[in-house]
């Protein structure tokens, strides 16, 4: 069981504005164990044995109670269940906010959890763009031990886990450490992106980098610089600027780059959101993409294929990263010995936002 997340990014602005009126809405009361017992004609103790998988109940009674549980929609209280068994059979995915990157990870995790015996809880710290260092520590303190048995944390700043509680980090700020991690080959992906622009004849290539505190952003900039050096092309430092992986920050950076007298002929943006923002800025000031400017991104979020022109980008397998992180967490809880660090390959996805320099 998992949440539905395919339509998370429908914006309020696209919906018709109607008065907020709620009329005659009846919220059903929570089904209690005593309701199940009464309907099944058994004792509460018998229902408790069935729910918790204990012995001492006839098979016919087990089947009758399970049918009533299904019919009434009874769900065991996670907090009470945790106190009794020290297990909730729920795994958490903790994010600072729900945005395209984390949403794709969630899709992969939600598929992987099917048939595992676990349920999936997606949890946002609520800190959003201004997520402070340690947001995941606060989130774990709220959830660990009583609501979830383990957690996947997306781009954590720092993680301190208590003994016996398992955590897997996806794309951690500091890169792989003692904590089990899943990420993609950011350095190789950046080399791919830069080499593609170089192969099209571009030499004045700008780079809109990500957040300076993120290891993935540092690796992408390092890959860009390595590819330029390998090609014998000097990096113009005026063309390397921080966009922060955010639409708003990247827009200002792109505007600065495109306002230069000798502006770049191509831009490698640190992620797809930054690249899409660059497309918007170029369109607003009358620079045609790809005729006058080539733009390449990184991530391959669904939005990258929907913009005009469709964005050439570096694909990191986000849904697979989500699935691998959840499988790693399940294996850790089960005591399965395996590699604690998983790095997945990246690949070039050619669409229509780049062309050979004229």
């Amino acid at each position: 069981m998992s949440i539905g997340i395919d339509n998370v990014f429908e914006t309020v602005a696209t919906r018709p504005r109607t008065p907020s009126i709620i009329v005659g809405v009846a919220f059903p009361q929570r089904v209690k164990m005593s309701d199940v017992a009464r309907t099944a004609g058994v004792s509460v103790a018998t229902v408790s044995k069935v729910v918790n998988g204990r012995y001492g109940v006839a098979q016919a009674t087990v089947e009758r109670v399970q049918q009533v549980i299904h019919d009434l929609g009874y769900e065991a209280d996670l907090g009470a269940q945790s106190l009794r068994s020290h297990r909730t059979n729920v795994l958490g995915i903790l994010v600072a906010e729900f945005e395209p990157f984390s949403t794709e990870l969630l899709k992969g995790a939600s598929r992987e959890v099917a048939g595992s015996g676990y349920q999936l809880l997606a949890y946002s710290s609520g800190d959003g763009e201004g997520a402070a260092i340690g947001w995941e520590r606060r989130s774990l303190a709220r959830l660990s031990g009583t609501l979830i048995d383990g957690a996947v944390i997306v781009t954590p700043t720092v993680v301190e886990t208590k003994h016996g509680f398992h955590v897997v980090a996806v794309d951690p700020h500091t890169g792989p450490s003692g904590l089990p991690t899943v990420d993609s080959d950011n350095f190789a992906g950046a080399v791919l992106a830069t080499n593609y622009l170089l192969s099209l004849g571009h030499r004045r290539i700008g780079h809109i980098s990500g957040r300076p505190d993120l290891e993935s952003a540092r690796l992408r900039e390092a890959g860009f610089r390595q590819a330029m050096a390998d090609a014998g092309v000097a990096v113009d430092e005026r063309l390397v600027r921080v966009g922060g992986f955010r639409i708003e920050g990247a827009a200002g950076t792109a505007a600065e780059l495109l306002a230069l007298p000798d502006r770049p002929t191509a831009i490698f943006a640190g992620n797809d959101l930054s690249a899409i923002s660059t497309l918007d800025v170029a369109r607003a000031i009358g620079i045609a993409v790809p005729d006058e400017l080539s733009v390449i991104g990184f991530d391959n979020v669904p939005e990258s294929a929907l913009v005009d022109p469709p964005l050439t980008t570096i694909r990191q397998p986000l849904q697979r990263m989500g699935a691998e992180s959840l499988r790693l967490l399940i294996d850790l809880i089960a005591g399965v010995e395996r590699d604690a660090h998983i790095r997945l390959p990246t690949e070039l996805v050619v669409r229509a936002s780049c062309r050979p320099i004229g």
Side-chain angles (χ1 to χ4, degrees):
M1 178 178 177
S2 61
I3 62 169
I5 54 176
D6 287 300
N7 297 313
V8 167
F9 290 100
E10 179 186 4
T11 61
V12 175
T14 62
R15 302 172 189 164
R17 296 191 176 186
T18 56
S20 299
I21 301 175
I22 301 177
V23 179
V25 177
F27 294 95
Q29 292 184 339
R30 181 182 178 89
V31 177
K32 301 176 182 178
M33 191 174 288
S34 58
D35 298 325
V36 175
R38 183 173 58 256
T39 304
V42 299
S43 67
V44 171
T46 298
V47 176
S48 178
K49 288 181 179 180
V50 173
V51 169
N52 293 290
R54 296 174 187 157
Y55 296 106
V57 182
Q59 185 58 36
T61 302
V62 170
E63 293 175 358
R64 183 167 77 255
V65 171
Q66 288 176 337
Q67 184 61 50
V68 171
I69 287 173
H70 174 77
D71 292 343
L72 296 183
Y74 170 76
E75 290 283 350
D77 181 86
L78 291 179
Q81 180 178 317
S82 174
L83 290 173
R84 288 191 301 269
S85 67
H86 306 291
R87 292 285 298 275
T88 65
N89 293 323
V90 176
L91 302 177
I93 294 191
L94 280 55
V95 300
E97 62 177 323
F98 294 109
E99 36 69 44
F101 177 88
S102 60
T103 300
E104 289 302 295
L105 294 172
L106 282 165
K107 290 177 184 178
S110 68
R111 280 197 288 271
E112 186 65 25
V113 79
S116 69
Y118 286 96
Q119 296 178 323
L120 191 62
L121 172 69
Y123 181 87
S124 170
S125 69
D127 293 330
E129 181 179 357
I133 292 176
W135 65 266
E136 57 285 286
R137 186 190 301 117
R138 295 188 296 275
S139 298
L140 284 174
R142 296 186 185 107
L143 302 176
S144 63
T146 55
L147 291 178
I148 58 176
D149 296 332
V152 172
I153 307 182
V154 180
T155 59
T157 58
V158 62
V159 176
E160 298 171 0
T161 62
K162 62 184 181 181
H163 178 70
F165 188 79
H166 295 285
V167 169
V168 173
V170 177
D171 194 21
H173 278 223
T174 57
S177 59
L179 195 70
T181 58
V182 176
D183 61 15
S184 68
D185 198 335
N186 290 286
F187 182 88
V191 170
L192 273 176
T194 309
N195 280 340
Y196 180 65
L197 295 176
L198 289 166
S199 74
L200 297 178
H202 295 281
R203 294 297 180 266
R204 288 193 58 73
I205 302 174
H207 177 53
I208 299 178
S209 66
R211 292 167 50 179
D213 60 326
L214 268 179
E215 178 70 2
S216 58
R218 292 191 290 267
L219 287 171
R220 291 173 199 181
E221 181 175 339
F224 161 73
R225 291 182 179 278
Q226 186 63 57
M228 294 287 278
D230 290 345
V233 179
V235 174
D236 184 341
E237 296 299 334
R238 296 177 302 158
L239 305 186
V240 180
R241 307 194 182 197
V242 175
F245 283 166
R246 309 290 304 194
I247 288 179
E248 299 82 2
T253 301
E256 292 172 1
L257 289 174
L258 297 180
L260 293 172
D262 50 350
R263 62 177 175 80
T265 63
I267 291 178
F268 166 36
N271 69 346
D272 284 347
L273 292 183
S274 299
I276 292 169
S277 187
T278 300
L279 295 180
D280 291 340
V281 170
R283 182 181 302 108
I285 61 179
I287 296 177
V289 176
D291 293 340
E292 299 174 278
L293 175 70
S294 290
V295 179
I296 189 169
F298 201 112
D299 284 341
N300 195 39
V301 297
E303 292 83 351
S304 65
L306 303 177
V307 293
D308 181 25
L311 182 68
T312 293
T313 188
I314 298 298
R315 175 182 177 269
Q316 55 174 335
L318 298 177
Q319 293 191 26
R320 184 181 167 195
M321 288 167 65
E324 291 281 0
S325 63
L326 195 79
R327 174 47 52 190
L328 177 57
L329 178 60
I330 291 172
D331 287 347
L332 289 171
I333 293 173
V336 176
E337 292 188 11
R338 53 173 296 183
D339 191 346
H341 303 297
I342 300 173
R343 175 156 291 171
L344 300 176
T346 48
E347 62 181 282
L348 176 67
V349 178
V350 177
R351 295 195 179 104
S353 62
C354 299
R355 63 165 292 175
I357 191 168

